[in-house]
Amino acid sequence: MSKRIGMEVAIAAAEAAALCRFDVAAVYPITPQSHVAEHLSDIVADGRIDAEFITVESEHSALSSAIGAAGTGARVVTATSSQGLMYMHEVLPIASAMRLPIVMIIANRAVSGPLNIWNDHTDIMHERDTGWISLFAQNGQEVVDMTIQAFKIGEHRDVMLPVNVNMDGFQLTHMVEPILMPEQEEVDKFLPAYKPYAMVHPDTPVSMGTLAMPEFYAEALKAKDMAMAASRKIIAQVWKDWEKQFGRKYEPIEAHRAEDAEVLMLTMGSMGETAEIAINELRKHGVKAGLLKLKLWRPFPFEELKKLTKNAKVLVVTDRAVSFGGPGGPVCGEVKAALYDEPNRPKIVNYLIGLGGRDLTISDFVDMMKRAAEATKKMPAEAYEYYGVRE
Amino acid sequence: MADKKGPETWKEMNPGCMVFRPGSSREYHTGSWRAQKPVWQNEKCIKCGICYIFCPEGCIKEDEEGYFVADLNYCKGCGICAHECWPGAIKMVEED
């Protein structure tokens, strides 16, 4: 049986990776991910698992080493944040193109500049199209669970893609939370030993990371895209297996009081918990409010979103990143694309919130919901609003 | 590209474009990229082998008499051999 313990979430993430018996960790520390890096290093140095920790000189090298290690058939974990993730950018699509199921724990943080080490989702939004599966956790328990799930999803033969697990920097990484930490035997049962599709070994010659001429490049991209599409089914299966074994349910979009909701809000990450309290407050006052928590950013759950929003009059989409000169926040752009062909789509209001660690309270979410509800009569003048910005 | 065999559709692509046949890149004749080819004038050649060392394709070989020849199936016509040749024994000549 899992034990309930109080643990800092960053450390719990590293513990979850250790429960998966990773073979190699290649990590470069960066705030607010550093505790993940340090603790992974401790786990290896203390000999708790039979693994290598590669002390790399940069994030570019961290992911490059991870790819090399994964190519030899190792189960590999890495972790980063913000500028570090951007420094990995060049290598991210290579990891997915080589179909190596590396797991990356990301402590989401704003990007410079201005220099800011606090939490928002800008870092991962820049990496949206690199072919990684992206999971978003809303609390420490989900970070632990998703880290373990990530290996099983990525390593499935129908998928073979790298997976990143996103946790809000500081709001989650530095928070001590009560966490049900699974036992080793339970994780062993859930996640069997990694059987790589191919590995670099003298007995099994293989060329990885090959060149594709114009005649093959589009076919290679479609094959990768189809693996991403196929992952929807596998993610659902892995989450079903998880629920069966551990009793905690996971869905691409977790709905809270959404069924009869006229005004829905969509959040991603830790702010979902604050928004949930706001929704409950509004319900007490007779407002038909509901919440959708997006847990799966890539592949994006188009069908689930359509189903969950079909009866709503207004959908408030919160974004924690900016698309300069774009149609709104990146999440809102996806939501609008998903619902464009729906005959009964809700009015969509977009707020950019929590940028660079800006705090939001329950009353802020109540305020957003109330103001957005007006959209049935009159849409806001602007396509999106920097919520709480000083004009 | 005419002599290159490969997958026809995306479904036939190996995961990660992996190639499991060792040495298969030999089947791709990069010589078709060439605009000029190196021609050796053996009367000027001192058999130093600098062309062999510098060839980035590794396509220059020593013949039985100790002179050097390029495998034109792979020579891309870069001209490095001609540039490096001390006694000027290699000339780059336009392809027909």
PDB file of all heavy atoms in Angstrom, chain A residues 108-110 118-123 125 136 168-169 171 267-272 318-322 329-331 350-360 365:
ATOM      1  N   ASN A 108       7.753  24.413 -14.665  1.00  0.00           N
ATOM      2  CA  ASN A 108       7.395  25.516 -15.565  1.00  0.00           C
ATOM      3  C   ASN A 108       7.727  26.876 -14.967  1.00  0.00           C
ATOM      4  O   ASN A 108       7.439  27.154 -13.803  1.00  0.00           O
ATOM      5  CB  ASN A 108       5.914  25.449 -15.920  1.00  0.00           C
ATOM      6  CG  ASN A 108       5.589  24.202 -16.712  1.00  0.00           C
ATOM      7  OD1 ASN A 108       4.923  23.317 -16.216  1.00  0.00           O
ATOM      8  ND2 ASN A 108       6.091  24.121 -17.917  1.00  0.00           N
ATOM      9  N   ARG A 109       8.326  27.708 -15.805  1.00  0.00           N
ATOM     10  CA  ARG A 109       8.781  29.024 -15.355  1.00  0.00           C
ATOM     11  C   ARG A 109       8.698  29.993 -16.528  1.00  0.00           C
ATOM     12  O   ARG A 109       8.801  29.601 -17.691  1.00  0.00           O
ATOM     13  CB  ARG A 109      10.233  28.869 -14.873  1.00  0.00           C
ATOM     14  CG  ARG A 109      10.962  30.155 -14.616  1.00  0.00           C
ATOM     15  CD  ARG A 109      12.437  29.900 -14.272  1.00  0.00           C
ATOM     16  NE  ARG A 109      13.262  30.903 -14.924  1.00  0.00           N
ATOM     17  CZ  ARG A 109      14.597  30.958 -14.838  1.00  0.00           C
ATOM     18  NH1 ARG A 109      15.270  30.061 -14.151  1.00  0.00           N
ATOM     19  NH2 ARG A 109      15.251  31.905 -15.459  1.00  0.00           N
ATOM     20  N   ALA A 110       8.535  31.266 -16.197  1.00  0.00           N
ATOM     21  CA  ALA A 110       8.550  32.309 -17.222  1.00  0.00           C
ATOM     22  C   ALA A 110       9.906  32.333 -17.906  1.00  0.00           C
ATOM     23  O   ALA A 110      10.886  31.797 -17.391  1.00  0.00           O
ATOM     24  CB  ALA A 110       8.262  33.666 -16.580  1.00  0.00           C
ATOM     25  N   TRP A 118       9.943  33.058 -11.827  1.00  0.00           N
ATOM     26  CA  TRP A 118       8.718  32.536 -11.247  1.00  0.00           C
ATOM     27  C   TRP A 118       7.860  31.810 -12.281  1.00  0.00           C
ATOM     28  O   TRP A 118       8.217  31.736 -13.447  1.00  0.00           O
ATOM     29  CB  TRP A 118       7.964  33.673 -10.545  1.00  0.00           C
ATOM     30  CG  TRP A 118       8.716  34.130  -9.332  1.00  0.00           C
ATOM     31  CD1 TRP A 118       8.641  33.613  -8.077  1.00  0.00           C
ATOM     32  CD2 TRP A 118       9.717  35.166  -9.284  1.00  0.00           C
ATOM     33  NE1 TRP A 118       9.529  34.269  -7.256  1.00  0.00           N
ATOM     34  CE2 TRP A 118      10.197  35.216  -7.944  1.00  0.00           C
ATOM     35  CE3 TRP A 118      10.254  36.049 -10.226  1.00  0.00           C
ATOM     36  CZ2 TRP A 118      11.181  36.120  -7.546  1.00  0.00           C
ATOM     37  CZ3 TRP A 118      11.238  36.940  -9.824  1.00  0.00           C
ATOM     38  CH2 TRP A 118      11.691  36.968  -8.489  1.00  0.00           C
ATOM     39  N   ASN A 119       6.739  31.340 -11.817  1.00  0.00           N
ATOM     40  CA  ASN A 119       5.974  30.381 -12.603  1.00  0.00           C
ATOM     41  C   ASN A 119       5.030  31.006 -13.622  1.00  0.00           C
ATOM     42  O   ASN A 119       4.274  31.915 -13.318  1.00  0.00           O
ATOM     43  CB  ASN A 119       5.179  29.495 -11.624  1.00  0.00           C
ATOM     44  CG  ASN A 119       4.110  28.671 -12.306  1.00  0.00           C
ATOM     45  OD1 ASN A 119       2.969  28.673 -11.898  1.00  0.00           O
ATOM     46  ND2 ASN A 119       4.454  27.981 -13.360  1.00  0.00           N
ATOM     47  N   ASP A 120       5.112  30.562 -14.837  1.00  0.00           N
ATOM     48  CA  ASP A 120       3.997  30.573 -15.790  1.00  0.00           C
ATOM     49  C   ASP A 120       4.272  29.462 -16.806  1.00  0.00           C
ATOM     50  O   ASP A 120       5.126  28.599 -16.542  1.00  0.00           O
ATOM     51  CB  ASP A 120       3.745  31.964 -16.404  1.00  0.00           C
ATOM     52  CG  ASP A 120       4.814  32.467 -17.348  1.00  0.00           C
ATOM     53  OD1 ASP A 120       5.514  31.632 -17.957  1.00  0.00           O
ATOM     54  OD2 ASP A 120       4.947  33.696 -17.494  1.00  0.00           O
ATOM     55  N   HIS A 121       3.563  29.442 -17.931  1.00  0.00           N
ATOM     56  CA  HIS A 121       3.690  28.299 -18.845  1.00  0.00           C
ATOM     57  C   HIS A 121       4.410  28.655 -20.146  1.00  0.00           C
ATOM     58  O   HIS A 121       4.326  27.912 -21.134  1.00  0.00           O
ATOM     59  CB  HIS A 121       2.309  27.720 -19.157  1.00  0.00           C
ATOM     60  CG  HIS A 121       1.626  27.140 -17.953  1.00  0.00           C
ATOM     61  ND1 HIS A 121       0.280  26.900 -17.899  1.00  0.00           N
ATOM     62  CD2 HIS A 121       2.114  26.766 -16.747  1.00  0.00           C
ATOM     63  CE1 HIS A 121      -0.041  26.384 -16.712  1.00  0.00           C
ATOM     64  NE2 HIS A 121       1.050  26.307 -15.999  1.00  0.00           N
ATOM     65  N   THR A 122       5.089  29.786 -20.160  1.00  0.00           N
ATOM     66  CA  THR A 122       5.726  30.227 -21.411  1.00  0.00           C
ATOM     67  C   THR A 122       6.746  29.210 -21.911  1.00  0.00           C
ATOM     68  O   THR A 122       6.832  28.952 -23.112  1.00  0.00           O
ATOM     69  CB  THR A 122       6.418  31.585 -21.210  1.00  0.00           C
ATOM     70  OG1 THR A 122       5.491  32.471 -20.588  1.00  0.00           O
ATOM     71  CG2 THR A 122       6.851  32.174 -22.535  1.00  0.00           C
ATOM     72  N   ASP A 123       7.522  28.628 -20.993  1.00  0.00           N
ATOM     73  CA  ASP A 123       8.607  27.744 -21.452  1.00  0.00           C
ATOM     74  C   ASP A 123       8.088  26.577 -22.288  1.00  0.00           C
ATOM     75  O   ASP A 123       8.570  26.331 -23.399  1.00  0.00           O
ATOM     76  CB  ASP A 123       9.497  27.279 -20.282  1.00  0.00           C
ATOM     77  CG  ASP A 123       8.748  26.627 -19.124  1.00  0.00           C
ATOM     78  OD1 ASP A 123       7.513  26.440 -19.228  1.00  0.00           O
ATOM     79  OD2 ASP A 123       9.402  26.302 -18.115  1.00  0.00           O
ATOM     80  N   MET A 125       5.223  26.295 -23.798  1.00  0.00           N
ATOM     81  CA  MET A 125       4.490  26.720 -25.001  1.00  0.00           C
ATOM     82  C   MET A 125       5.425  26.881 -26.198  1.00  0.00           C
ATOM     83  O   MET A 125       5.046  26.617 -27.332  1.00  0.00           O
ATOM     84  CB  MET A 125       3.743  28.030 -24.735  1.00  0.00           C
ATOM     85  CG  MET A 125       2.573  27.857 -23.800  1.00  0.00           C
ATOM     86  SD  MET A 125       1.404  26.635 -24.441  1.00  0.00           S
ATOM     87  CE  MET A 125       0.808  25.910 -22.937  1.00  0.00           C
ATOM     88  N   PHE A 136       0.118  17.842 -17.868  1.00  0.00           N
ATOM     89  CA  PHE A 136       0.116  18.955 -16.923  1.00  0.00           C
ATOM     90  C   PHE A 136      -0.470  18.524 -15.580  1.00  0.00           C
ATOM     91  O   PHE A 136      -1.616  18.094 -15.516  1.00  0.00           O
ATOM     92  CB  PHE A 136      -0.708  20.127 -17.482  1.00  0.00           C
ATOM     93  CG  PHE A 136       0.157  21.203 -18.060  1.00  0.00           C
ATOM     94  CD1 PHE A 136       0.570  21.152 -19.373  1.00  0.00           C
ATOM     95  CD2 PHE A 136       0.580  22.265 -17.265  1.00  0.00           C
ATOM     96  CE1 PHE A 136       1.384  22.139 -19.913  1.00  0.00           C
ATOM     97  CE2 PHE A 136       1.391  23.258 -17.780  1.00  0.00           C
ATOM     98  CZ  PHE A 136       1.797  23.200 -19.113  1.00  0.00           C
ATOM     99  N   ASP A 168       4.047  23.316 -12.083  1.00  0.00           N
ATOM    100  CA  ASP A 168       4.286  24.739 -11.908  1.00  0.00           C
ATOM    101  C   ASP A 168       5.467  24.979 -10.974  1.00  0.00           C
ATOM    102  O   ASP A 168       5.531  24.419  -9.879  1.00  0.00           O
ATOM    103  CB  ASP A 168       3.020  25.414 -11.364  1.00  0.00           C
ATOM    104  CG  ASP A 168       1.947  25.525 -12.447  1.00  0.00           C
ATOM    105  OD1 ASP A 168       2.314  25.544 -13.638  1.00  0.00           O
ATOM    106  OD2 ASP A 168       0.754  25.590 -12.106  1.00  0.00           O
ATOM    107  N   GLY A 169       6.405  25.804 -11.449  1.00  0.00           N
ATOM    108  CA  GLY A 169       7.561  26.146 -10.633  1.00  0.00           C
ATOM    109  C   GLY A 169       7.130  26.864  -9.370  1.00  0.00           C
ATOM    110  O   GLY A 169       6.209  27.683  -9.394  1.00  0.00           O
ATOM    111  N   GLN A 171       5.034  27.093  -7.160  1.00  0.00           N
ATOM    112  CA  GLN A 171       3.679  26.747  -6.696  1.00  0.00           C
ATOM    113  C   GLN A 171       3.585  25.251  -6.410  1.00  0.00           C
ATOM    114  O   GLN A 171       2.895  24.835  -5.494  1.00  0.00           O
ATOM    115  CB  GLN A 171       2.617  27.126  -7.732  1.00  0.00           C
ATOM    116  CG  GLN A 171       1.973  28.466  -7.469  1.00  0.00           C
ATOM    117  CD  GLN A 171       2.689  29.593  -8.209  1.00  0.00           C
ATOM    118  OE1 GLN A 171       3.860  29.485  -8.535  1.00  0.00           O
ATOM    119  NE2 GLN A 171       1.975  30.682  -8.441  1.00  0.00           N
ATOM    120  N   THR A 267      -8.574  25.732 -17.117  1.00  0.00           N
ATOM    121  CA  THR A 267      -7.259  26.038 -16.541  1.00  0.00           C
ATOM    122  C   THR A 267      -6.299  24.892 -16.837  1.00  0.00           C
ATOM    123  O   THR A 267      -6.720  23.785 -17.172  1.00  0.00           O
ATOM    124  CB  THR A 267      -7.329  26.206 -15.004  1.00  0.00           C
ATOM    125  OG1 THR A 267      -7.797  24.980 -14.438  1.00  0.00           O
ATOM    126  CG2 THR A 267      -8.224  27.348 -14.583  1.00  0.00           C
ATOM    127  N   MET A 268      -5.015  25.193 -16.661  1.00  0.00           N
ATOM    128  CA  MET A 268      -4.003  24.159 -16.824  1.00  0.00           C
ATOM    129  C   MET A 268      -3.017  24.335 -15.672  1.00  0.00           C
ATOM    130  O   MET A 268      -2.582  25.461 -15.403  1.00  0.00           O
ATOM    131  CB  MET A 268      -3.308  24.358 -18.179  1.00  0.00           C
ATOM    132  CG  MET A 268      -2.887  23.091 -18.839  1.00  0.00           C
ATOM    133  SD  MET A 268      -2.594  23.250 -20.623  1.00  0.00           S
ATOM    134  CE  MET A 268      -1.283  24.409 -20.719  1.00  0.00           C
ATOM    135  N   GLY A 269      -2.683  23.252 -14.992  1.00  0.00           N
ATOM    136  CA  GLY A 269      -1.712  23.334 -13.905  1.00  0.00           C
ATOM    137  C   GLY A 269      -2.330  23.642 -12.560  1.00  0.00           C
ATOM    138  O   GLY A 269      -3.533  23.444 -12.343  1.00  0.00           O
ATOM    139  N   SER A 270      -1.494  24.158 -11.654  1.00  0.00           N
ATOM    140  CA  SER A 270      -1.870  24.254 -10.241  1.00  0.00           C
ATOM    141  C   SER A 270      -2.999  25.236  -9.967  1.00  0.00           C
ATOM    142  O   SER A 270      -3.664  25.142  -8.934  1.00  0.00           O
ATOM    143  CB  SER A 270      -0.650  24.634  -9.403  1.00  0.00           C
ATOM    144  OG  SER A 270      -0.180  25.904  -9.786  1.00  0.00           O
ATOM    145  N   MET A 271      -3.237  26.201 -10.862  1.00  0.00           N
ATOM    146  CA  MET A 271      -4.292  27.176 -10.595  1.00  0.00           C
ATOM    147  C   MET A 271      -5.689  26.562 -10.667  1.00  0.00           C
ATOM    148  O   MET A 271      -6.663  27.168 -10.239  1.00  0.00           O
ATOM    149  CB  MET A 271      -4.166  28.373 -11.520  1.00  0.00           C
ATOM    150  CG  MET A 271      -3.054  29.297 -11.045  1.00  0.00           C
ATOM    151  SD  MET A 271      -3.104  30.903 -11.783  1.00  0.00           S
ATOM    152  CE  MET A 271      -1.751  31.700 -10.893  1.00  0.00           C
ATOM    153  N   GLY A 272      -5.763  25.354 -11.196  1.00  0.00           N
ATOM    154  CA  GLY A 272      -7.037  24.648 -11.234  1.00  0.00           C
ATOM    155  C   GLY A 272      -7.632  24.456  -9.849  1.00  0.00           C
ATOM    156  O   GLY A 272      -8.852  24.491  -9.667  1.00  0.00           O
ATOM    157  N   THR A 318      -8.158  30.415 -19.612  1.00  0.00           N
ATOM    158  CA  THR A 318      -7.040  31.105 -18.967  1.00  0.00           C
ATOM    159  C   THR A 318      -5.744  30.634 -19.605  1.00  0.00           C
ATOM    160  O   THR A 318      -5.562  29.452 -19.886  1.00  0.00           O
ATOM    161  CB  THR A 318      -7.003  30.829 -17.451  1.00  0.00           C
ATOM    162  OG1 THR A 318      -6.845  29.424 -17.248  1.00  0.00           O
ATOM    163  CG2 THR A 318      -8.268  31.310 -16.770  1.00  0.00           C
ATOM    164  N   ASP A 319      -4.882  31.575 -19.866  1.00  0.00           N
ATOM    165  CA  ASP A 319      -3.586  31.272 -20.468  1.00  0.00           C
ATOM    166  C   ASP A 319      -2.498  31.840 -19.588  1.00  0.00           C
ATOM    167  O   ASP A 319      -2.622  32.957 -19.092  1.00  0.00           O
ATOM    168  CB  ASP A 319      -3.484  31.924 -21.861  1.00  0.00           C
ATOM    169  CG  ASP A 319      -3.723  30.938 -22.973  1.00  0.00           C
ATOM    170  OD1 ASP A 319      -2.853  30.090 -23.190  1.00  0.00           O
ATOM    171  OD2 ASP A 319      -4.798  31.028 -23.609  1.00  0.00           O
ATOM    172  N   ARG A 320      -1.415  31.085 -19.428  1.00  0.00           N
ATOM    173  CA  ARG A 320      -0.295  31.571 -18.628  1.00  0.00           C
ATOM    174  C   ARG A 320       0.933  31.787 -19.510  1.00  0.00           C
ATOM    175  O   ARG A 320       2.059  31.530 -19.132  1.00  0.00           O
ATOM    176  CB  ARG A 320      -0.038  30.606 -17.481  1.00  0.00           C
ATOM    177  CG  ARG A 320      -1.321  30.430 -16.635  1.00  0.00           C
ATOM    178  CD  ARG A 320      -1.033  29.837 -15.303  1.00  0.00           C
ATOM    179  NE  ARG A 320      -0.129  30.686 -14.557  1.00  0.00           N
ATOM    180  CZ  ARG A 320       0.555  30.288 -13.490  1.00  0.00           C
ATOM    181  NH1 ARG A 320       0.435  29.056 -13.066  1.00  0.00           N
ATOM    182  NH2 ARG A 320       1.348  31.114 -12.858  1.00  0.00           N
ATOM    183  N   ALA A 321       0.648  32.230 -20.726  1.00  0.00           N
ATOM    184  CA  ALA A 321       1.705  32.549 -21.683  1.00  0.00           C
ATOM    185  C   ALA A 321       1.117  33.528 -22.694  1.00  0.00           C
ATOM    186  O   ALA A 321      -0.110  33.614 -22.844  1.00  0.00           O
ATOM    187  CB  ALA A 321       2.197  31.294 -22.391  1.00  0.00           C
ATOM    188  N   VAL A 322       1.972  34.250 -23.376  1.00  0.00           N
ATOM    189  CA  VAL A 322       1.535  35.247 -24.350  1.00  0.00           C
ATOM    190  C   VAL A 322       2.009  34.828 -25.734  1.00  0.00           C
ATOM    191  O   VAL A 322       3.121  34.363 -25.900  1.00  0.00           O
ATOM    192  CB  VAL A 322       2.132  36.638 -24.001  1.00  0.00           C
ATOM    193  CG1 VAL A 322       1.648  37.688 -24.992  1.00  0.00           C
ATOM    194  CG2 VAL A 322       1.778  37.032 -22.577  1.00  0.00           C
ATOM    195  N   GLY A 329      -3.917  33.831 -25.980  1.00  0.00           N
ATOM    196  CA  GLY A 329      -2.935  32.895 -25.421  1.00  0.00           C
ATOM    197  C   GLY A 329      -2.902  31.610 -26.235  1.00  0.00           C
ATOM    198  O   GLY A 329      -3.850  31.300 -26.952  1.00  0.00           O
ATOM    199  N   PRO A 330      -1.821  30.852 -26.131  1.00  0.00           N
ATOM    200  CA  PRO A 330      -1.710  29.621 -26.926  1.00  0.00           C
ATOM    201  C   PRO A 330      -2.782  28.579 -26.625  1.00  0.00           C
ATOM    202  O   PRO A 330      -3.225  27.877 -27.540  1.00  0.00           O
ATOM    203  CB  PRO A 330      -0.318  29.087 -26.586  1.00  0.00           C
ATOM    204  CG  PRO A 330       0.225  29.920 -25.483  1.00  0.00           C
ATOM    205  CD  PRO A 330      -0.581  31.164 -25.400  1.00  0.00           C
ATOM    206  N   VAL A 331      -3.224  28.492 -25.374  1.00  0.00           N
ATOM    207  CA  VAL A 331      -4.279  27.512 -25.057  1.00  0.00           C
ATOM    208  C   VAL A 331      -5.582  27.948 -25.731  1.00  0.00           C
ATOM    209  O   VAL A 331      -6.293  27.140 -26.330  1.00  0.00           O
ATOM    210  CB  VAL A 331      -4.475  27.369 -23.535  1.00  0.00           C
ATOM    211  CG1 VAL A 331      -5.615  26.399 -23.238  1.00  0.00           C
ATOM    212  CG2 VAL A 331      -3.188  26.891 -22.858  1.00  0.00           C
ATOM    213  N   ASN A 350     -10.898  35.167 -23.231  1.00  0.00           N
ATOM    214  CA  ASN A 350      -9.522  34.755 -22.924  1.00  0.00           C
ATOM    215  C   ASN A 350      -8.849  35.730 -21.962  1.00  0.00           C
ATOM    216  O   ASN A 350      -8.784  36.925 -22.237  1.00  0.00           O
ATOM    217  CB  ASN A 350      -8.723  34.674 -24.246  1.00  0.00           C
ATOM    218  CG  ASN A 350      -7.349  34.061 -24.113  1.00  0.00           C
ATOM    219  OD1 ASN A 350      -6.493  34.279 -24.954  1.00  0.00           O
ATOM    220  ND2 ASN A 350      -7.107  33.277 -23.083  1.00  0.00           N
ATOM    221  N   TYR A 351      -8.396  35.187 -20.842  1.00  0.00           N
ATOM    222  CA  TYR A 351      -7.615  35.985 -19.895  1.00  0.00           C
ATOM    223  C   TYR A 351      -6.193  35.442 -19.820  1.00  0.00           C
ATOM    224  O   TYR A 351      -5.982  34.236 -19.702  1.00  0.00           O
ATOM    225  CB  TYR A 351      -8.223  35.920 -18.498  1.00  0.00           C
ATOM    226  CG  TYR A 351      -9.549  36.630 -18.369  1.00  0.00           C
ATOM    227  CD1 TYR A 351     -10.722  35.929 -18.085  1.00  0.00           C
ATOM    228  CD2 TYR A 351      -9.632  38.013 -18.510  1.00  0.00           C
ATOM    229  CE1 TYR A 351     -11.943  36.576 -17.961  1.00  0.00           C
ATOM    230  CE2 TYR A 351     -10.854  38.671 -18.392  1.00  0.00           C
ATOM    231  CZ  TYR A 351     -12.002  37.948 -18.118  1.00  0.00           C
ATOM    232  OH  TYR A 351     -13.203  38.585 -17.996  1.00  0.00           O
ATOM    233  N   LEU A 352      -5.230  36.349 -19.877  1.00  0.00           N
ATOM    234  CA  LEU A 352      -3.834  35.973 -19.628  1.00  0.00           C
ATOM    235  C   LEU A 352      -3.586  36.218 -18.148  1.00  0.00           C
ATOM    236  O   LEU A 352      -3.706  37.348 -17.669  1.00  0.00           O
ATOM    237  CB  LEU A 352      -2.881  36.812 -20.479  1.00  0.00           C
ATOM    238  CG  LEU A 352      -3.177  36.872 -21.983  1.00  0.00           C
ATOM    239  CD1 LEU A 352      -2.068  37.615 -22.715  1.00  0.00           C
ATOM    240  CD2 LEU A 352      -3.368  35.488 -22.588  1.00  0.00           C
ATOM    241  N   ILE A 353      -3.287  35.145 -17.438  1.00  0.00           N
ATOM    242  CA  ILE A 353      -3.206  35.239 -15.970  1.00  0.00           C
ATOM    243  C   ILE A 353      -1.878  34.679 -15.457  1.00  0.00           C
ATOM    244  O   ILE A 353      -1.198  33.914 -16.155  1.00  0.00           O
ATOM    245  CB  ILE A 353      -4.368  34.460 -15.290  1.00  0.00           C
ATOM    246  CG1 ILE A 353      -4.251  32.949 -15.570  1.00  0.00           C
ATOM    247  CG2 ILE A 353      -5.719  34.988 -15.744  1.00  0.00           C
ATOM    248  CD1 ILE A 353      -5.124  32.087 -14.685  1.00  0.00           C
ATOM    249  N   GLY A 354      -1.561  35.089 -14.228  1.00  0.00           N
ATOM    250  CA  GLY A 354      -0.439  34.465 -13.522  1.00  0.00           C
ATOM    251  C   GLY A 354       0.871  34.533 -14.272  1.00  0.00           C
ATOM    252  O   GLY A 354       1.682  33.605 -14.187  1.00  0.00           O
ATOM    253  N   LEU A 355       1.111  35.602 -14.998  1.00  0.00           N
ATOM    254  CA  LEU A 355       2.352  35.687 -15.776  1.00  0.00           C
ATOM    255  C   LEU A 355       3.525  36.014 -14.865  1.00  0.00           C
ATOM    256  O   LEU A 355       3.436  36.906 -14.016  1.00  0.00           O
ATOM    257  CB  LEU A 355       2.222  36.744 -16.886  1.00  0.00           C
ATOM    258  CG  LEU A 355       1.107  36.475 -17.909  1.00  0.00           C
ATOM    259  CD1 LEU A 355       0.970  37.651 -18.869  1.00  0.00           C
ATOM    260  CD2 LEU A 355       1.368  35.191 -18.693  1.00  0.00           C
ATOM    261  N   GLY A 356       4.619  35.294 -15.046  1.00  0.00           N
ATOM    262  CA  GLY A 356       5.825  35.550 -14.262  1.00  0.00           C
ATOM    263  C   GLY A 356       5.589  35.463 -12.765  1.00  0.00           C
ATOM    264  O   GLY A 356       6.187  36.202 -11.991  1.00  0.00           O
ATOM    265  N   GLY A 357       4.703  34.521 -12.355  1.00  0.00           N
ATOM    266  CA  GLY A 357       4.489  34.282 -10.940  1.00  0.00           C
ATOM    267  C   GLY A 357       3.475  35.199 -10.273  1.00  0.00           C
ATOM    268  O   GLY A 357       3.334  35.182  -9.051  1.00  0.00           O
ATOM    269  N   ARG A 358       2.746  36.011 -11.075  1.00  0.00           N
ATOM    270  CA  ARG A 358       1.719  36.886 -10.486  1.00  0.00           C
ATOM    271  C   ARG A 358       0.667  36.018  -9.810  1.00  0.00           C
ATOM    272  O   ARG A 358       0.113  35.110 -10.425  1.00  0.00           O
ATOM    273  CB  ARG A 358       1.082  37.751 -11.578  1.00  0.00           C
ATOM    274  CG  ARG A 358       0.055  38.764 -11.076  1.00  0.00           C
ATOM    275  CD  ARG A 358       0.671  39.979 -10.414  1.00  0.00           C
ATOM    276  NE  ARG A 358       1.461  40.785 -11.334  1.00  0.00           N
ATOM    277  CZ  ARG A 358       0.992  41.870 -11.978  1.00  0.00           C
ATOM    278  NH1 ARG A 358      -0.239  42.280 -11.783  1.00  0.00           N
ATOM    279  NH2 ARG A 358       1.775  42.544 -12.800  1.00  0.00           N
ATOM    280  N   ASP A 359       0.421  36.346  -8.542  1.00  0.00           N
ATOM    281  CA  ASP A 359      -0.512  35.545  -7.749  1.00  0.00           C
ATOM    282  C   ASP A 359      -1.956  35.825  -8.142  1.00  0.00           C
ATOM    283  O   ASP A 359      -2.297  36.947  -8.509  1.00  0.00           O
ATOM    284  CB  ASP A 359      -0.325  35.868  -6.263  1.00  0.00           C
ATOM    285  CG  ASP A 359      -0.070  34.598  -5.463  1.00  0.00           C
ATOM    286  OD1 ASP A 359      -0.267  33.500  -6.027  1.00  0.00           O
ATOM    287  OD2 ASP A 359       0.331  34.702  -4.296  1.00  0.00           O
ATOM    288  N   LEU A 360      -2.788  34.799  -8.041  1.00  0.00           N
ATOM    289  CA  LEU A 360      -4.222  34.985  -8.231  1.00  0.00           C
ATOM    290  C   LEU A 360      -4.951  34.384  -7.050  1.00  0.00           C
ATOM    291  O   LEU A 360      -4.588  33.310  -6.567  1.00  0.00           O
ATOM    292  CB  LEU A 360      -4.701  34.305  -9.520  1.00  0.00           C
ATOM    293  CG  LEU A 360      -4.595  35.215 -10.739  1.00  0.00           C
ATOM    294  CD1 LEU A 360      -3.285  34.962 -11.446  1.00  0.00           C
ATOM    295  CD2 LEU A 360      -5.756  35.004 -11.686  1.00  0.00           C
ATOM    296  N   PHE A 365     -10.624  34.695  -9.574  1.00  0.00           N
ATOM    297  CA  PHE A 365     -11.309  33.737 -10.460  1.00  0.00           C
ATOM    298  C   PHE A 365     -12.815  33.998 -10.481  1.00  0.00           C
ATOM    299  O   PHE A 365     -13.453  33.900 -11.528  1.00  0.00           O
ATOM    300  CB  PHE A 365     -11.010  32.287 -10.034  1.00  0.00           C
ATOM    301  CG  PHE A 365      -9.622  31.846 -10.417  1.00  0.00           C
ATOM    302  CD1 PHE A 365      -8.583  31.868  -9.495  1.00  0.00           C
ATOM    303  CD2 PHE A 365      -9.344  31.444 -11.711  1.00  0.00           C
ATOM    304  CE1 PHE A 365      -7.304  31.480  -9.849  1.00  0.00           C
ATOM    305  CE2 PHE A 365      -8.061  31.050 -12.083  1.00  0.00           C
ATOM    306  CZ  PHE A 365      -7.031  31.074 -11.146  1.00  0.00           C
TER     307      PHE A 365
END
